[in-house]
Amino acid sequence: MQVLLRNPLADPYVLGLSGGSAVGALGAMLLGLGAFFVDAGAFLGALATVALVFAFARRDMARLRGIGTVDGTPRLLLTGVMLASGWSAIVTVILIVSPERELRGMLFWLMGDLGGADSYGPALAALPLLVLLLFPAARDLNAMLRGPELAYSLGVRVVRVRRIVLVAASLAAAIAVTTAGAVGFVGLVVPHAPRLVSGNDPRLTAPGWPL
């Protein structure tokens, strides 16, 4: 996401992915549903965030398909910040209406809690699959670092790459949130570590993300 948005401060919170995942997971908890539905709710919440981002920024995204491309990054960022604030408000409402016996667990989970994680298998299995999914787009992301107009002129399908990255980021955020809760600074800081070793080329940093 930092490469896609050309912003070193980008993380799943920027587009509201973590907030959407948290709302979906907490909603399932509030309804007393099982672990599977909590995971599914988190993923659906993240996907709903992506759908809303594209809906609000559809005009800029549509113009990216034409020759007269424009950079829709500012609109995506502003939309994400707006959605993140909205999800935060919904999380507060869910906590207010939650039964007292479940409130403590929800608060610990929101702060980041591995105590309730029964297994890390799904997260560990999803990580290499997501890297394999995104690695073919690394070259296109490298071109997009110089702007969507130049990337488009080089033959990059900008809208398609953005959709692939955002859907993969939604899945990754949902898995992370359901495993460890909403720990925002991890998504912000960790991507910079491979860059200290290999630079800012996504073809080199993508395999280094799991490390």
Side-chain angles (χ1 to χ4, degrees):
M1 290 179 64
Q2 291 173 357
V3 174
L4 180 70
L5 301 177
R6 292 185 293 150
N7 189 327
L9 297 180
D11 71 352
Y13 272 84
V14 171
L15 291 182
L17 297 180
S18 295
S21 294
V23 168
L26 290 178
M29 292 180 185
L30 181 63
L31 295 174
L33 302 178
F36 171 80
F37 293 99
V38 173
D39 294 346
F43 183 47
L44 291 177
L47 283 182
T49 302
V50 172
L52 289 172
V53 167
F54 277 109
F56 286 120
R58 64 185 182 277
R59 182 175 301 175
D60 290 342
M61 298 299 292
R63 292 175 66 184
L64 281 169
R65 296 189 182 94
I67 296 176
T69 58
V70 295
D71 189 354
T73 299
R75 180 70 62 85
L76 290 173
L77 288 170
L78 291 174
T79 303
V81 171
M82 178 187 70
L83 289 175
S85 299
W87 290 133
S88 178
I90 295 176
V91 166
T92 301
V93 172
I94 292 177
L95 293 177
I96 291 174
V97 302
S98 296
E100 187 174 351
R101 64 180 181 277
E102 298 181 6
L103 185 59
R104 180 181 176 86
M106 288 183 174
L107 288 174
F108 273 107
W109 182 82
L110 283 174
M111 294 170 59
D113 181 19
L114 291 171
D118 298 327
S119 174
Y120 305 107
L124 293 176
L127 185 58
L129 293 177
L130 288 170
V131 172
L132 290 175
L133 173 65
L134 291 174
F135 190 76
R139 185 176 182 180
D140 294 337
L141 287 172
N142 207 19
M144 291 176 64
L145 278 172
R146 292 163 173 81
E149 292 89 353
L150 178 59
Y152 185 86
S153 68
L154 294 174
V156 176
R157 300 174 65 180
V158 176
V159 175
R160 179 176 178 272
V161 172
R162 280 186 168 177
R163 286 175 175 169
I164 291 174
V165 171
L166 289 175
V167 170
S170 301
L171 178 59
I175 293 173
V177 167
T178 54
T179 302
V183 188
F185 67 89
V186 175
L188 174 63
V189 174
V190 169
H192 293 285
R195 295 193 186 106
L196 296 176
V197 179
S198 59
N200 202 33
D201 189 342
R203 292 172 296 181
L204 299 177
T205 55
W209 289 338
L211 303 178

